[in-house]
Amino acid sequence: FIRSFETDISFDRGLYAGPFGYLGNDSADIVVAIRSALITNYQEGRISQIDSSSPRNRPESKVSVFGGAGIVDGSTVQGEWTETSHKMGVLSSLFPPSPITLQSFSMPNVAWSTAFIEELIRNGVTQFYVCPGSRNTPLTAAIFKATRSNVGIVRAISVHDERGAGFRALGYARQNGRPAAVITSSGTAVANLYPSVVESSSDGVPLLVITADRPYENRDTGSNQSIDQVKMFSSSYVRWFRDIPPPSDDVPVSLALSDANHAVTLTKQMMGPVHLNVQFRENLAPDGGPIRNDNRVDSVTKFNNLRFTDASGFLDWSRSGNRWLNSHYSNNNSLGSTMEIKDLIRKSRRGIIVTGNLRDSEHVGQGTDSLSSLISQFAQTIGFPVVAGVQSGALRRESPVIPYAEHLMKNSMIAKGMQPDLVIQLGTPLISTEIGGIIKSNPAVRHVLVQQFYPHERADPDHTVTHRISSNIGTFLKGLMSDIESSGTVNCYSELTPLVFLGNELRKQMPDIIREAGSNESTGSGVTLTEPEITRAISEVLNEAEGKSNPMSLFLSNSMPVRDGEFFLYPEGNKGATSLQPLLRNDAKFPFSVSVNRGASGIDGILSTATGCGDSSQPTTLVCGDVTTLHDLNAFYGLTADHTPSNSAQTVTNANRLPLTTVIVNNGGGAIFSFLPIAKHGQDVGFEEYWGTPTNNFSFKQGASAFGLPYKSATSFEDFKNAYRSSIESGGPGIIEAKVVDRSTNVEVHKKITQGAIRTVDSIINESSVTHGVRLKMKLPIKRYTDDRGNVSKDTKTLLLIHGWMGDKTEWDLVGESLSSDLSDWDIISIDLPGHGKSTEIFSSDRKTAFNSLDASGHPLQRNGSPFTLDAMARTVCDSLTQEHGIKSVDAVAGYSLGGRVALAMKRLCSASLDSDTKTKKDDELLLISEHTKLIVLGSNPGKLPTNDASEDLIDGQRAAKDFFLAESLFSSSLRSYLIPKSQDVEYLNLFLKRWYGVKSLWGGIRQRNPNVYSRMLKRRLENLSERRQDIAAVLYGCSPPLTSQDDWKGVVPSKTIFVAGILDEKYTNIGRKWESIGGISKFVQVPNAGHALIVEEPTTISTIINGFVKDEIVDESRAISDISPPVEKLLPPPALDSTTIDAKAYAVGLMEFEAFSITIGSSDGNGVQGIGWGSSARAENKLQRREGFIVSIASSNGKAVGVGEVSPLKGLHKETLEDAESQLRLIKDYLASAAELPKFNAEEVLSLNGSLSIFITEIVTMAGIDPILVATSVKSGLEMAILSVASQLYGSFLPQSLAANHWQKDLLSIPSSSFGLLPINGLITRGETLETISGSVGRVSKNINFGSVKVKIGHDDVDVDIRTLRGLRQSPSSVGQIKLRGDANRAWNRPLADTFAAELKRLDSSVFESIEFIEEPLMKQSLDGEWSIERQVAALDDFTRRGGMPYALDESLADLAEIHAYNFDRIAHDLRAVFGGQERACTAFVLKPALLGLELSMQIASLAQKEFKINAVFSSSFDSGIGLAFTAILASVVDNSPFSTRMTKYSHGLGTFSMLGGDTLSPPFETYVNQEGMLNVPSLSRALYGLSLDEISDRLPTYNAVPSANEPAVTSTESESYLATTSSEGRDITVSVSLPLPFSDSIASSRFTDLPQMSRWSPWLNSVTYLDEAGLTEWNLNIRGVKFSWKAKSEVLNEPKGIKWESVSGLKNRGVVEFEPTSDNNCIMKLKMSIIMPYILVSLFQGMPSVVQEFLQNKLLKWSLEMFRDVVKADLALERGDNELGDALFGAVEGRANALEEALK
């Protein structure tokens, strides 16, 4: 209590003491009552002191508070009284206040002031700045009493300087969003408030000015300290003035309350100062009797408090604690204004958002973070970039903001080229002069100003505003966004969004620009610090404070600090995040706000205003100049005195002072004036004296010392940054004097920065010429599929393959590779079309986009049309093939979709050239296609075929409009992508592609029909769109079929042309039939089981068709298809393990859970494991002593299957940390728990491990908000484990059989179940172990297992150590047989060391040398010029083997290759084929780590190695726990039993790490499945893994207590008649407590209920309960809606009270107790409490809603069960006594409840 409520007072507490004494019925004696309260409860008739006429006015109780203070050395009466008073106030404030009756006050000033201050407090004025004086005594006394009765709520600060007090109140209001009150005496004290009143009015900040005045009889009489205070402040500034007469009972209290209420309402509503001038007569002090200084007869205080309070409503006010009047005023955010602005946004193409001072009553006081997020969301919604003024604070970190916008706009190209057509300005004023100049220079711009205006405010200094909206900014934006979204306004964007890119590019260079600008500038005293560096340092320290500090406020002084803030203050945020974290959603950002006195832009009161900002206890930094500091120097006194009581002897520390860091930029005078034209006139006009105003004769260090404040000085960037960091970390006040270069140098530094920024931007946006004519001059990349790459003879025929829209040349890879073997004498080429793949970028590069954005006449597409016309693309292809690639003729062209149309255009253009008499040498490329060239047109529009259908023109118009809309959508999304996180952009592109490929008549439902192909195609298209979006959109602009030649079909030679379409592609099937029917082609070929994506769906079929046609063979679809697709007998799974075998179809995943684990790791020396990991982590001195991670559990949505996986990143191996993995798991869990539609998978496809599993996981993580590229590899592998387990259960077989049946289904007809037997495992000797520590353990570890093979971690700096270890293992007497050895060097050796190892081992012990199976990665990473390749690494390893004769295996190299290709198997396979395909290599094995590579990728690489390279795979653990080891072992078993492994050497697998685990996540542990020979029992392990869930791994049942705990959160509570129930839950854990009165004795109830086999009589869904032994073990069988559950439980019959308790020992997890408490001889109460973990199937049954499950358990299952038990026993008793009629009726009621429950389940 003391620490929570009394910490801000520094009393010397001495010893703590509490109440001590006794309390009795008749008397009490309290010895110590330092903090005590006595509560008196009133009874009727005992209230005499207050009005009891109305029952609601009668208090129920009274609290008497006692306080005291202990006497210590040095105590004084005043000090102890102060301490006691404070304790009384704190304690009293915890109770409701007593009614404020004012009846005890006999002085009018006291009564009036008490009521007046109370009403201010009730209206939210809780901060008072009191200036010392006599005339304001009544107000000051009332405020002090209020602080004591409202401890922690009301705060009063004594400020000796009225001018400073006004600004301090202004700063408080600016920071907190509610007014503070300034209290002054009369006279010139009031006049000192004028500057703060002007600033408050000009900037719209609420301020309550309460001035005391002499009564009217003293006015204009020359009375002392009396001036004219009536309307002292001009009505131009004050929103309302009130001259209040002296308090008396002639004026009722209601007027005082109304005045106070109205004043606060107006200062808030009208956003400005309100002045209340209160006249006070003597006595000013709370003294009765004679009136001071009035010697007239009968001059005594006369006041009738009853008359004063006799006002309507006062009684309610005094008792209720409510305001006198509740005022509500609406925001004038009219529907008309949002509709008009929405229309402007819709029409705009060059819109921009500009922010100034964000005056927003909803969000002020919360920093600017919440409003910043709203503005950012608004910008992203409408697609406009944001120029954020420095006053926007946290907004400057949001993604739509243009960093360093002020510098960008100083660039003449940008200033001239921006030309916005719509400016939406949020808040005013703007500090930037550049944006104002750009607005003024564009007279056609629409300028919308949104601000909460105060009356008569104009805020249009340049007269450019065209739309003025007076509204709360947040309210207006929310309404506008809602209107935009509800009306379906689409394609809002701005061509100016690339300015965000330019700003971010400049952001990268700005630190260097600032540093270089000041690098040669220094003073004679060694000062090198420049003013821009101060702002830069503050930004960097703010970045460092991310997540480490409370919200921070910056206050920037006018003059140079605010301008430098505008120029340079751009904190980035998230600087400390890992590479995985920035893409996670809901990232917490370090909140900060920026304040400036920009109303009148003066420099007076700056320190006081900043102090007011800090009065909210929020750390605040003030940046001000030396002149500004001198102007308000006495404000520093407020930093030392505010929180330190006068009676305190304690030393003042930072803990009880304001957290205000003041940065004084000392440039020796007024630096701002050096930027003005007058500066160049120098001493001719006395510049230095009258403008420069030097401050060199003042010592800020001595000034800080005088105020007792910490002081530091800095003269360099690093000094200042360190001093500033230290100051804000201290948490208290401090002064940093930043001594900077002189004023003239400062001007030069700013000029150099501007010039550097301009140069940087110029280098980015240098004009790039783009040809918009007939030809696009560019080199188009090609890909050859011939063996002799680049060595093609002149007689070789050429086949050209052209891809479709959004594709690239790799689209043909599967077809091309197949053709290369059939057409070995052909040069087979695929080419990137213009605008696609790796062709020259025209519009898509960020730099070109930025350059194009500066042409206000529109995007080049809109100005000149698309350069990507069909003819231009055809010419470019011809030109590139002839000029760049030396191809003179093409013998066949296969074009798909757009590629087919390009091929037809090439044929037309070449035919026209051949017919022309004007052909020149430049047209040689148009001889590329001849009349002999064969055309294979696949799913392409050949033009307008002859038809009688008059509707085709309408269809063409619709198609052109649709294509334009799609292109516009892509174009606008590319511009919007600059404003949003990458994950959101990917989400949009995914949605675009899903809609594109969702047309069933074209694509044949490919997503459902062929999900693997669809997913691969979607992924590739997503990559292409991400890289080339604008170019691809431009192609669609220029190549929409209705806009191109309609007669290309006429130019073909029918005998040389065939048309191919997928049979499910209705559109192009009709075109093919029509074209064939008119004799325009030789043949139309339909491809079965394919839609429009036929070249990726049926590549082998397409290859067969092309091969046959170009060889002049007759194309026979049925023959071709049967040749390439022989019927494959599907491997049938073994009989299902339960009755829920289901067909292969799409299933959704359901709930996901995960729990952490931590296991000790130990080696044979008991001192942890050394040298684990790769790279530097593999060194012996690095030790691993614990293995930590998470076990993941995923269930199918139908609850019928559940699987587990392991996520345990290993330091030194995985890139991610444990925290990274947990963050991603939490995102995925939250997504699966809340997703409206869960992602689905096909069990057979997933089990095939052909890429479907990765695609499915990519879909999950993407929807969870994680960029698939950055998903943690450990997380992915853990998800793969769980999903594979689920899939195998849905498939109906154990995991090894399921994987073999699906992964190898094209390679074999059956796999006998007996194939999966014992799997060999190798032992492990870790790095750092010596012969002594492993002596006696050769081939044997602490688990007493004899391994046939042992892997030794080698690679020490001294190869002799490794050789001795290997020899010692073979020669050890404990070696069982001749064990095989292998080494793992982890790339530790250079070539000489590796050669030395091999040579020395062979020389010293040839038997050991011969026993070595292979060495894993003996050589260091082989890089050239910093680049590594698998080819270079393997070549070096081959050379090592050739020199020394020692075989090697790949491990790290495979992981490096996977990382380079982002774990894309196709690309990995391409590189591996290039290295291992068709040539002998010395590599013996591929070592694969599924926990690092992923399970699917590991299997794909293993299959590739076996099938194509004849290299076997060794699966290795990453020191996983039992769960991870089990899945790795199953993969190894499937690979060892593959159809390709029969004649290959099989190696032991690297799973021996289990022997070093101090515990396990499997139960029984993994080691129990390994026999003494080191062989793993795979079938037993598979059975243990089948259906395993987190419930079986971790005991998560809630602790059982016989009596419900008071701390349990009741989720639901039911009371029906006499049935009582409460339920609490956490996840699937549910605890239910119920009770029911029974009309029979506890003995009868207990004897009937504890006869457990009778349970099914009152619980018909219980099939049976059977006793298994005499110890109380029972077996229970339950059936709910056809879903069966069983469990075994131990039970114990209870005697006191009677009842039974039970706990399950297997199966469905539950426990509970039933007790029967007697209430009479013939009655009792049945109490039941049960805890259960809901099975996944039941969670699925109840749609995953815990509340539904709870309601069902509580109000149906249990309620009706208890009532049925009651009625069954009553029926039994009735029948026993012969009352058959009653018995039958009761049994009928039981049957009715059972039927009702079944209906409820339905």
Side-chain angles (χ1 to χ4, degrees), residues 162-184:
E162 287 83 2
R163 178 174 156 279
F167 277 107
R168 195 162 174 178
L170 179 76
Y172 177 87
R174 192 186 290 281
Q175 183 65 33
N176 295 275
R178 58 179 184 271
V182 185
I183 313 296
T184 74

Side-chain angles (χ1 to χ4, degrees), residues 518-519 521-523 526-530 533 715-717 739-741:
S519 60
E521 309 295 346
S522 65
T523 66
V527 173
T528 60
L529 181 64
T530 65
E533 285 183 323
T715 58
S716 68
F717 174 76
K739 298 178 180 179
V740 297
V741 295

Side-chain angles (χ1 to χ4, degrees), residues 772-928:
H772 297 287
V774 176
R775 302 184 183 210
L776 291 169
K777 286 290 185 181
M778 63 175 68
K779 181 177 181 179
L780 301 178
I782 65 171
K783 182 173 184 179
R784 279 193 161 94
Y785 298 98
T786 49
D787 292 334
D788 299 324
R789 300 171 188 268
N791 187 22
V792 181
S793 68
K794 64 178 182 179
D795 297 327
T796 302
K797 293 183 177 181
T798 300
L799 168 61
L800 176 64
L801 308 174
I802 310 178
H803 62 80
W805 185 61
M806 289 197 295
D808 59 49
K809 59 182 179 295
T810 63
E811 196 171 61
W812 284 99
D813 280 358
L814 296 177
V815 176
E817 289 169 2
S818 178
L819 285 170
S820 65
S821 59
D822 296 329
L823 301 175
S824 57
D825 55 339
W826 284 65
D827 184 18
I828 304 170
I829 298 170
S830 63
I831 190 168
D832 280 334
L833 285 174
H836 294 77
K838 301 302 181 183
S839 64
T840 305
E841 292 180 327
I842 301 298
F843 301 118
S844 292
S845 78
D846 290 324
R847 291 176 178 241
K848 291 182 179 179
T849 302
F851 173 78
N852 289 333
S853 71
L854 300 179
D855 191 333
S857 61
H859 192 272
L861 290 174
Q862 299 164 339
R863 295 195 303 268
N864 307 306
S866 174
F868 297 103
T869 65
L870 192 63
D871 284 8
M873 294 181 71
R875 288 180 181 273
T876 304
V877 172
C878 292
D879 184 43
S880 184
L881 288 174
T882 57
Q883 302 298 322
E884 305 291 346
H885 301 293
I887 298 171
K888 301 305 179 183
S889 65
V890 173
D891 300 276
V893 182
Y896 163 68
S897 192
L898 173 63
R901 294 172 58 214
V902 171
L904 290 169
M906 290 168 64
K907 181 68 173 71
R908 170 172 51 80
L909 294 171
C910 288
S911 297
S913 178
L914 288 170
D915 296 338
S916 172
D917 294 330
T918 61
K919 183 182 77 67
T920 66
K921 190 175 181 180
K922 292 182 179 179
D923 293 320
D924 283 346
E925 66 269 19
L926 294 182
L927 299 177
L928 197 67

Side-chain angles (χ1 to χ4, degrees), residues 1366-1380:
L1366 291 170
R1367 295 183 68 195
L1369 286 171
R1370 288 279 294 182
Q1371 297 167 3
S1372 172
S1374 62
S1375 176
V1376 180
Q1378 294 299 304
I1379 63 170
K1380 296 179 180 179

Side-chain angles (χ1 to χ4, degrees), residues 1016-1228:
R1016 286 196 296 270
M1017 183 171 63
L1018 198 71
K1019 182 179 180 182
R1020 187 62 187 148
R1021 291 295 188 273
L1022 183 61
E1023 292 173 354
N1024 289 340
L1025 276 179
S1026 298
E1027 296 171 1
R1028 301 299 301 270
R1029 188 177 343 187
Q1030 289 201 39
D1031 286 336
I1032 288 173
V1035 171
L1036 191 56
Y1037 271 120
C1039 292
S1040 179
L1043 305 179
T1044 58
S1045 171
Q1046 300 297 305
D1047 298 324
D1048 281 352
W1049 63 276
K1050 297 178 181 179
V1052 305
V1053 178
S1055 62
K1056 302 291 184 181
T1057 308
I1058 63 171
F1059 187 84
V1060 185
I1063 198 169
L1064 302 177
D1065 181 351
E1066 297 176 11
K1067 175 180 177 179
Y1068 290 100
T1069 296
N1070 291 333
I1071 289 175
R1073 288 175 181 148
K1074 188 182 297 183
W1075 201 1
E1076 185 181 40
S1077 69
I1078 63 174
I1081 52 176
S1082 64
K1083 190 169 184 63
F1084 166 44
V1085 185
Q1086 295 185 70
V1087 179
N1089 304 317
H1092 190 57
L1094 66 171
I1095 66 171
V1096 291
E1097 285 196 89
E1098 295 293 337
T1100 313
T1101 304
I1102 299 302
S1103 173
T1104 301
I1105 293 170
I1106 296 174
N1107 179 43
F1109 183 61
V1110 301
K1111 287 182 176 179
D1112 294 323
E1113 297 176 359
I1114 298 175
V1115 178
D1116 184 336
E1117 302 99 310
S1118 61
R1119 181 183 64 79
I1121 295 169
S1122 63
D1123 284 348
I1124 59 99
S1125 301
V1128 178
E1129 179 183 344
K1130 185 174 178 180
L1131 176 65
L1132 297 176
L1137 300 181
D1138 56 31
S1139 60
T1140 60
T1141 302
I1142 46 186
D1143 298 330
K1145 59 181 181 180
Y1147 285 91
V1149 295
L1151 296 178
M1152 170 182 147
E1153 296 175 330
F1154 65 92
E1155 286 193 7
F1157 71 85
S1158 180
I1159 299 173
T1160 57
I1161 295 288
S1163 60
S1164 56
D1165 62 1
N1167 194 30
V1169 181
Q1170 294 175 293
I1172 301 304
W1174 289 344
S1176 61
S1177 296
R1179 299 183 66 84
E1181 57 265 25
N1182 291 312
K1183 187 178 297 184
L1184 177 68
Q1185 293 182 310
R1186 298 199 69 81
R1187 197 69 178 91
E1188 297 178 318
F1190 304 94
I1191 299 301
V1192 178
S1193 179
I1194 294 179
S1196 61
S1197 61
N1198 62 10
K1200 294 184 178 181
V1202 61
V1204 295
E1206 177 177 338
V1207 177
S1208 52
L1210 180 64
K1211 184 178 180 181
L1213 191 68
H1214 292 85
K1215 302 292 185 183
E1216 66 271 14
T1217 65
L1218 195 64
E1219 291 75 19
D1220 294 333
E1222 182 178 13
S1223 297
Q1224 293 191 354
L1225 288 174
R1226 199 165 302 283
L1227 284 173
I1228 297 168

